[in-house]
């Protein structure tokens, strides 16, 4: 399909040309026509698939239609809710990029962690598109500063994540402040459980669009798994990977904010251009760090899951899981930060024995085995852990999906004697 077949307004196709896009991505071909027709949608599409444009182009089409009708209203016509500030800023940037030729386009973001003043001024003035995280928008609704009475289109981006973060009541309150006649478009990796129930509550006869599941995704991303004997070994593996010549920029994930700061300090001492990014940092500093990453001033970013959502930097060549995610879905979100915009990427997971349960859950979730790799001189001493016993399967019942037995070929090689690792990590410090 070409962009012409989507019958978009000329000012939008011109912007797509300036962005260098030649044809719509799968999710854009599937979602844009029904969205333009005003349908409610439930969309699952992997991160990096071009999903932002799949809702932003229909949203901008509405804005253009209102320009022609010359109706003046207070408050925005389009509201996009996102789980994190980073994603909100990313979506706002996409709105400005795709809407660069829309006359007088007014986009505002309302996110937590920044002063209220500028947001209040933006909410007072005329507005087309509002992009918000639920918590801060609730504050502005409570004080009567945000007007949602003219919303024509509501987008819930990464709805599963918003529910995981406990935003369900906020989302309900916000939608109640919008007209029942609105169009609602919901994006989520899955629509089971509470996400499905919320969709039933908020959407009217929605169309379900599923473009590529987590199982088919990530063809452009090479995945590798390194088993580490202990924390020092894991640090040594990381240090080696960060010196690989193919590495342009790396995003290193830790499980906690504290680990992110600790690891960034350690890498800084080693001479890397590195910073940490997590939810405990003031927004101004987070913005500066992201700017440093985009301008390539930083070569390594050490981040937690929530903070890294929405990072879209094409030069990230490596994603390294230094600490494993809490949930298997997050693995998919993490590795999707590389291999973007037509490039290839490498996603390396460093796991200790105690991580083997999560590794197996990830493999079951993606129905792919992460290929095991070793670095010469840094081979693990211990054999690869066996898959854990399934406790969710009754006797006589076969587990669903693929099983991931030990790798054919037997034991992992031994690490040569004499290699010592002296750097103490946070666990050593904690005792
Ligand atoms: P998203 O999934 O919205 O985060 O988009 C992922 C990346 O794909 C972003 O860098 C977009 O600029 C880019 N992108 C979106 N649509 C297209 C397209 N039709 N052709 C090429 N790149 C695109």
């Amino acid at each position: 399909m070409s962009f012409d077949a989507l019958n978009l307004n000329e000012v939008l196709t011109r912007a797509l040309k300036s962005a260098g896009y030649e044809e719509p991505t799968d999710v854009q071909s599937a979602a844009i026509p029904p969205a333009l027709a005003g349908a409610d949608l439930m969309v699952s599409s992997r991160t990096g698939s071009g999903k932002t444009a799949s809702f932003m182009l229909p949203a901008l089409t509405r804005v253009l239609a209102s320009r022609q009708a010359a109706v003046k209203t207070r408050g925005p016509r389009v509201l996009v809710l996102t789980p994190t500030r980073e994603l909100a800023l990313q979506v706002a940037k996409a709105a400005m990029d795709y809407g660069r030729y829309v006359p007088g386009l007014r986009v505002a973001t309302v996110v937590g962690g920044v002063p209220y003043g500028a947001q209040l001024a933006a909410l007072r003035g005329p507005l087309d598109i509002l992009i918000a995280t639920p918590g801060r928008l609730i504050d502005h609704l409570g004080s009567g500063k945000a007007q949602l009475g003219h919303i024509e289109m509501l987008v819930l981006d990464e709805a599963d994540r918003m529910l995981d973060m406990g935003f369900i009541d906020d989302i309900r309150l916000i939608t109640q402040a919008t007209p029942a006649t609105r169009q609602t478009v919901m994006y989520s990796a899955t629509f089971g459980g509470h996400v499905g129930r919320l969709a039933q509550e908020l959407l009217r006869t929605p169309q379900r669009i599923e473009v590529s599941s987590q199982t088919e995704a990530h063809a452009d991303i090479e995945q590798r798994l390194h088993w580490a004997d202990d924390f020092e070994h894991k640090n040594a593996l990381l240090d080696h990977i960060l010196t690989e010549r193919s590495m342009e920029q790396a995003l290193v994930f830790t499980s906690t904010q504290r680990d992110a700061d600790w690891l960034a300090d350690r890498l800084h001492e080693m001479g890397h251009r590195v910073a940490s990014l997590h939810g405990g940092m003031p927004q101004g500093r987070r913005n500066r760090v992201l700017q440093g990453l985009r301008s390539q001033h930083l070569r390594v970013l050490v981040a937690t899951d929530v903070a890294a959502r929405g990072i879209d930097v094409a030069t990230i060549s490596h994603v390294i899981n230094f600490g494993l995610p809490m949930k298997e879905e997050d693995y998919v979100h993490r590795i999707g930060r590389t291999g973007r915009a037509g490039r290839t990427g490498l996603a390396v997971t460093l796991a200790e024995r105690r991580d083997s349960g999560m590794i197996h859950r990830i493999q079951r979730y993606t129905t792919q085995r992460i290929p095991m790799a070793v670095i010469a001189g840094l081979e693990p001493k211990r054999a690869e852990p066996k898959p854990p016993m399934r406790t969710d399967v009754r006797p006589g019942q076969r587990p669903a999906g693929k099983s991931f037995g030990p790798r054919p070929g037997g034991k992992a090689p031994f690490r040569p004697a004499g290699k010592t690792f002296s750097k103490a990590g946070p666990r050593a410090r904690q005792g």
Side-chain angles (χ1 to χ4, degrees):
M1 193 190 261
S2 72
F3 276 118
D4 291 344
L6 295 175
N7 281 325
L8 292 166
N9 189 298
E10 183 274 330
V11 301
L12 300 180
T13 44
R14 196 149 30 108
L16 295 170
K17 273 210 186 76
S18 348
Y21 300 176
E22 282 163 13
E23 52 180 30
T25 64
D26 289 348
V27 67
Q28 291 163 7
S29 303
I32 292 175
L36 287 175
D40 281 4
L41 303 178
M42 291 158 74
V43 187
S44 301
S45 121
R46 73 183 170 93
T47 174
S49 61
K51 71 186 166 79
T52 315
S54 76
F55 62 77
M56 197 46 79
L57 294 169
L60 289 164
T61 303
R62 280 191 182 271
V63 172
L64 284 162
S66 73
R67 290 281 190 286
Q68 272 155 15
V71 203
K72 285 221 162 59
T73 53
R74 205 183 148 220
R77 288 170 193 283
V78 178
L79 171 63
V80 183
L81 291 180
T82 72
T84 63
R85 314 171 230 204
E86 278 71 24
L87 186 57
L89 298 177
Q90 197 80 51
V91 171
K93 186 177 172 297
M96 297 307 291
D97 284 349
Y98 304 138
R100 64 170 59 180
Y101 301 119
V102 175
L105 178 67
R106 292 156 304 208
V107 177
T109 49
V110 155
V111 294
V114 291
Y116 281 76
Q119 294 182 358
L120 289 172
L123 288 171
R124 262 197 304 274
L127 198 54
D128 297 307
I129 300 178
L130 177 61
I131 299 149
T133 49
R136 180 58 71 90
L137 183 55
I138 285 287
D139 289 353
H140 289 300
L141 269 180
S143 64
K145 297 292 189 300
Q147 290 283 328
L148 303 180
H150 295 283
I151 292 293
E152 295 172 19
M153 182 181 188
L154 168 67
V155 181
L156 303 172
D157 197 7
E158 299 195 356
D160 47 346
R161 187 68 167 189
M162 285 199 278
L163 297 197
D164 282 352
M165 291 169 73
F167 284 135
I168 182 119
D169 292 334
D170 290 353
I171 292 173
R172 285 208 179 99
L173 278 173
I174 291 166
T175 47
Q176 279 159 17
T178 66
T181 49
R182 66 167 194 269
Q183 176 184 23
T184 311
V185 182
M186 197 162 159
Y187 287 74
S188 177
T190 55
F191 280 95
H194 56 341
V195 194
R197 283 194 293 280
L198 185 70
Q200 260 180 357
E201 210 178 295
L202 302 183
L203 276 62
R204 281 167 307 164
T205 53
Q207 290 187 30
R208 177 85 173 90
I209 293 173
E210 199 166 0
V211 171
S212 71
S213 68
Q214 67 274 12
T215 57
E216 307 155 43
H218 306 304
D220 297 333
I221 303 169
E222 183 190 338
Q223 300 175 58
R224 278 186 207 162
L225 171 64
H226 289 273
W227 286 109
D229 291 328
D230 50 29
F231 191 65
E232 285 87 298
H233 186 197
K234 193 160 82 166
N235 276 297
L237 289 166
L238 175 70
D239 294 347
H240 182 96
I241 293 161
L242 291 180
T243 59
E244 277 178 5
R245 252 200 281 145
S246 60
M247 199 204 96
E248 266 182 84
Q249 276 181 308
L251 178 55
V252 182
F253 282 96
T254 58
S255 308
T256 66
Q257 298 184 355
R258 199 172 155 208
D259 287 356
D261 285 335
W262 174 84
L263 185 57
D265 280 351
R266 184 177 81 74
L267 296 174
H268 180 72
E269 277 170 28
M270 293 178 64
H272 287 287
R273 298 200 309 272
V274 56
S276 60
L277 183 79
H278 57 68
M281 290 162 45
Q283 187 60 32
R285 195 159 133 223
R286 285 163 72 168
N287 292 344
R288 282 195 297 281
V289 166
L290 282 175
Q291 191 44 43
L293 189 70
R294 282 201 193 92
S295 65
Q296 305 224 35
H297 176 69
L298 289 174
R299 197 159 164 270
V300 183
L301 182 67
V302 186
T304 56
D305 285 290
V306 168
R309 277 267 168 151
I311 291 182
D312 180 14
V313 178
T315 41
I316 295 176
S317 55
H318 286 52
V319 164
I320 302 169
N321 293 311
F322 185 81
L324 260 69
M326 301 290 281
K327 299 171 90 184
E328 44 272 44
E329 300 94 279
D330 286 334
Y331 173 82
V332 176
H333 287 296
R334 285 179 174 194
I335 71 170
R337 301 294 121 209
T338 182
R340 290 171 87 80
R343 291 168 174 241
T344 53
L346 180 64
V348 184
T349 299
L350 306 177
E352 291 175 68
R353 272 186 111 70
R354 63 197 179 102
D355 299 320
S356 62
M358 179 47 81
I359 294 294
H360 288 285
R361 283 205 293 285
I362 290 168
Q363 297 190 136
R364 250 200 323 264
Y365 179 73
T366 60
T367 67
Q368 286 170 9
R369 196 184 158 88
I370 312 174
M372 219 179 82
V374 287
I375 292 172
L378 290 175
E379 296 89 347
K381 268 194 204 139
R382 299 198 197 170
E384 179 188 359
K386 294 244 171 359
M389 292 285 288
R390 293 279 305 258
T391 49
D392 52 343
V393 180
R394 272 179 269 126
Q397 198 185 6
R398 272 167 57 87
K402 257 189 194 164
S403 83
F404 299 99
R407 204 170 62 125
K411 284 184 190 164
F414 282 83
R415 188 153 50 114
K419 184 98 200 165
T420 56
F421 303 99
S422 57
K423 206 92 188 174
R427 264 189 276 147
R429 280 196 207 158
Q430 281 158 23

